[in-house]
Amino acid sequence: CIVHGKIEKKGRIESFLKDGNKMVKTVRSGGKKAITEFERIDYDSKKNLSLLELNLITGRRHQIRIHLFELGFPILGEKIYTN
């Protein structure tokens, strides 16, 4: 996927997610574990966009969207999880 900003080269995101009405939220307890690994494939400095390859260890609703948003790198074109 393509995200706004220059994200680190590689990483792993782990959190607990809980479904809400339209959005999923990160919680400390009462949610389901979500794990996403990523690697930056390319970065366009003129547009400040990063191309990522993602590996979902778990498959939760909105997992990729919320994980990248919480890191500060919303997905290009995202309408719900954005700044």
Side-chain angles (χ1 to χ4, degrees):
C1 72
I2 299 173
V3 298
H4 295 277
K6 186 174 184 180
I7 196 167
E8 61 194 271
K9 185 69 177 156
K10 281 183 149 184
R12 180 181 172 110
I13 310 158
E14 295 188 35
S15 66
F16 291 92
L17 302 180
K18 186 170 186 173
D19 278 335
N21 283 339
K22 293 184 180 184
M23 293 181 73
V24 173
K25 296 182 180 184
T26 300
V27 294
R28 293 180 191 250
S29 65
K32 294 182 179 179
K33 186 151 189 159
I35 304 170
T36 304
E37 295 176 337
F38 66 88
E39 181 173 357
R40 188 180 74 227
I41 305 300
D42 197 12
Y43 174 68
D44 184 332
S45 59
K46 291 181 182 177
K47 295 180 181 178
N48 192 31
L49 298 172
S50 294
L51 174 64
L52 305 180
E53 180 176 315
L54 300 160
N55 181 29
L56 294 173
I57 306 302
T58 58
R60 307 288 178 226
R61 180 175 169 241
H62 297 194
Q63 177 176 325
I64 295 170
R65 298 163 72 185
I66 194 165
H67 274 172
L68 293 171
F69 169 71
E70 288 189 342
L71 282 181
F73 302 96
I75 295 173
L76 184 64
E78 175 63 52
K79 295 184 186 329
I80 297 174
Y81 302 96
T82 189
N83 299 341

